[in-house]
């Protein structure tokens, strides 16, 4: 009965083949994950490059779109929190300030535009 049992050396060779097979499968799976993440990162970079630059001047609208609440610079931190802002040209921002639309107290677009009361 012991004659048909595999030798210790045969068992070690078998164990090595199993480990190599599992390691190869694990490496292939990790390589696939790396490829997927590189694709995602590439798409994120392309989307960032294709995104238009933020406007230099922004007008914040009220709940009624005809109400203008404030004029902001394009990089004002309060603009990022509001979904009611629209980008405008320098001339439109100056015109809004002249029509008594308040300037943001944080970014002071009236100073940046040179329009002071």
């Amino acid at each position: 009965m012991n004659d048909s049992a595999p030798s210790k050396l045969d068992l070690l060779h078998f164990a090595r083949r199993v480990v190599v097979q599992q390691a190869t499968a694990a490496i292939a799976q990790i390589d696939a994950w790396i490829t997927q993440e590189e694709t995602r990162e590439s798409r994120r970079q392309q989307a960032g490059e294709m995104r238009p630059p933020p406007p230099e001047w922004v007008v914040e609208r009220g709940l009624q779109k005809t109400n203008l609440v404030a004029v902001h610079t394009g990089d004002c931190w309060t603009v990022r929190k509001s979904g009611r802002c629209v980008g405008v040209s320098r001339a439109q921002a100056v015109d809004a300030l002249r029509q008594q639309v308040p300037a943001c107290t944080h970014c002071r677009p009236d100073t940046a535009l040179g329009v002071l009361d």
Side-chain angles (χ1 to χ4, degrees):
M1 211 156 139
N2 281 346
D3 292 336
S4 65
S7 70
K8 205 174 206 180
L9 184 60
D10 289 337
L11 292 174
L12 289 171
H13 280 294
F14 173 75
R16 183 183 187 286
R17 284 193 306 273
V18 169
V19 169
V20 167
Q21 180 183 15
Q22 289 176 348
T24 303
I27 289 172
Q29 185 176 26
I30 291 171
D31 287 343
W33 291 339
I34 289 171
T35 302
Q36 288 173 354
E37 192 57 34
E38 287 173 345
T39 302
R40 278 191 210 107
E41 186 63 30
S42 173
R43 287 182 183 157
R44 273 187 226 118
Q45 286 177 353
Q46 288 174 352
E49 292 167 0
M50 292 173 28
R51 186 174 296 129
E56 282 190 65
W57 310 104
V58 177
V59 172
E60 182 180 355
R61 295 179 175 173
L63 293 176
Q64 296 177 353
K65 294 193 178 203
T66 56
N67 277 355
L68 300 181
V69 176
V71 178
H72 300 271
T73 60
D75 58 352
C76 181
W77 64 271
T78 59
V79 171
R80 287 183 231 128
K81 293 184 175 188
S82 174
R84 300 184 314 221
C85 294
V86 63
V88 295
S89 68
R90 178 184 177 86
Q92 290 170 319
V94 169
D95 189 46
L97 289 170
R98 287 190 178 139
Q99 292 178 12
Q100 304 302 315
V101 176
C104 173
T105 57
H106 302 286
C107 63
R108 303 304 307 174
D110 51 350
T111 305
L113 288 166
V115 179
L116 298 173
D117 291 335

